Amino acid sequence: MNNLRFIAGLCVGLVVLSGCVIKQHAAQGKNNEENKTFALTNVNIIPMTVDNEIIENTTVVIVDNRISAIGEKIPNDAKIIDGEGKWLIPGLIDMHVHNLVDGSPGNNYPTKGASIFFDNQDIMLLYVANGVTTTFELSGRVEHFGQRNEIVKGDVTGPRIALAALIDGSNASKVATTPSEGRQAVRIAKGDGYQFIKVYSRLNIETYKAIVDEANKQGMKVVGHIPNAFEGKSEDAFVPHFGLVAHAEEFSKQANEFTEEEAYKLARLAKENGTWVTPNLSNLVRIAAQGRSLDAVRDLPSFKYVHPLMQDKWITANQYNQGTTPKRIAYYDELVDFHVKLVKAFKELGVPMVAGTDAGTSGIVWGYSLHDELTLLVDAGLTTEETLAAATRLAATWLGIDDKVGTVEVGKLADLVLIDENPLLDINNTRKISGVFFNGRWVDKSQIDIMLENLAKKNSDNLGKDEFLWSKIRER
Ligand SMILES: [Zn+2]
């Protein structure tokens, strides 16, 4: 039995098996039965290049996962996708995620020998449904390499994945407490195949500095937190090659007071050091909401797509809700306000910002949260175009893949999202997805909807089963 027939048969027999549609496509691709040439016709392009000149009512030809022509005639063998009245943008990039892989939730949440297995397609479907074609995994583990390979091979439809190895002063898979340990951890990460280094909160000052320096020597860019040890001397943390701060909250932790003046003072440190920022506004907004009530999680329209283990964990072990107090909620609210001040200061001073969500943290649903982040960036004062740039061209630039993705141009890979209405007029239009191109594969909204429905059903069937109960797993 060939692979295609096997998977197609499985799909018919098991309608609840989520991911069938794109798995079937994957099988087709392997058998060279999938059409490799596409023509998107009558479409409006928002290229997201620096000058970003809109190209109206044109044809985009895609051959073998690459944009081969814009505004030229349709090849005879092309599969036609009608783009009339629709808008084409580059695939979106989430610059801060934590993807579930086998063995998750991972080092910080030991599962004491429990074997948790995830269907990678279920995890990746949420990105597919939301047009997120690249993700930046900020606590990479060996399992993430396997996850990435499945996508690269076409066995799973999902985003490209950039991997950062997290190094911390304790309680992590890579721990460093001295400069030499820090340098060694970087070299090991490099040898393991990680592309980036993430520095974390519990590093001491000298170790942190050694890690950033060694990463540069190894040709690895550094993203992360500002270690707690820099409290009261934040300027010292902005050493050369500290490339990207992973949350606005890292600045808030350094702030003496939540004023505009303080926001500018901190933003200036980033500007002078050439450090970029992932504001990650959505995270604190969600944290503040969870501090008030767990309904903030339960009522999320996308909650039903979250794996049952994580649904259970986000409800029964929610660190933002457990022991909640009005004082703590008020503090979260202050942070939310201060982050808006920070974003305004970053914008004013020209600190480049990229869009990231911390997806995987409770209440931050993979894929869906990126659209929340875009909305919040516009609310904080970015234009719709600046916001889209943060999730496309600028993110690709920071990751060093801007020669391949991040804009809609001839020669670039076809990481593309077709949307029903113009997102430059209203950023919420990025949610109105008509179809997406992933790895040379076209997935339209009707397929996405079927897969999401199947996933929601599978999750609800599994909810409450022993193997997915966080409380039980912790006791093991
Ligand atoms: Zn994170």
Side-chain angles (χ1 to χ4, degrees), residues 251 255 257-269 338-346 349:
F251 292 89
E257 45 184 2
F258 293 150
T259 60
E260 219 166 90
E261 199 188 351
E262 188 77 2
Y264 272 88
K265 197 184 98 190
L266 292 164
R268 215 164 281 123
L269 297 176
F338 187 59
H339 291 174
V340 172
K341 292 190 176 88
L342 280 166
V343 166
K344 288 185 197 306
F346 295 141
L349 296 177

Side-chain angles (χ1 to χ4, degrees), residues 36-178:
K36 297 284 190 181
T37 301
F38 297 87
L40 256 165
T41 57
N42 305 107
V43 72
N44 303 306
I45 303 176
I46 302 173
M48 292 315 297
T49 49
V50 174
D51 60 9
N52 196 32
E53 269 181 48
I54 311 279
I55 310 168
E56 286 182 14
N57 197 25
T58 190
T59 302
V60 180
V61 176
I62 294 146
V63 179
D64 291 338
N65 193 25
R66 215 167 269 281
I67 301 169
S68 70
I70 292 175
E72 291 177 24
K73 94 179 206 320
I74 302 170
N76 290 333
D77 60 340
K79 178 180 174 6
I80 310 278
I81 298 160
D82 181 13
E84 185 156 8
K86 296 181 177 168
W87 300 80
L88 191 67
I89 60 169
L92 300 171
I93 301 175
D94 188 334
M95 288 291 280
H96 189 151
V97 307
H98 302 282
N99 286 334
L100 294 177
V101 276
D102 291 347
S104 289
N107 309 303
N108 294 336
Y109 306 99
T111 45
K112 293 180 186 166
S115 307
I116 308 296
F117 297 108
F118 296 94
D119 183 325
N120 196 9
Q121 189 61 75
D122 291 349
I123 306 301
M124 293 302 148
L125 173 60
L126 309 190
Y127 291 122
V128 175
N130 285 282
V132 180
T133 55
T134 300
T135 59
F136 190 16
E137 168 63 57
L138 287 196
S139 36
R141 314 205 327 257
V142 287
E143 292 86 350
H144 287 116
F145 288 90
Q147 180 174 56
R148 185 174 70 178
N149 290 347
E150 279 193 305
I151 295 167
V152 170
K153 283 192 288 183
D155 294 344
V156 166
T157 299
R160 64 191 76 258
I161 300 173
L163 291 172
L166 187 152
I167 308 174
D168 200 1
S170 61
N171 199 23
S173 63
K174 288 184 167 49
V175 171
T177 57
T178 64

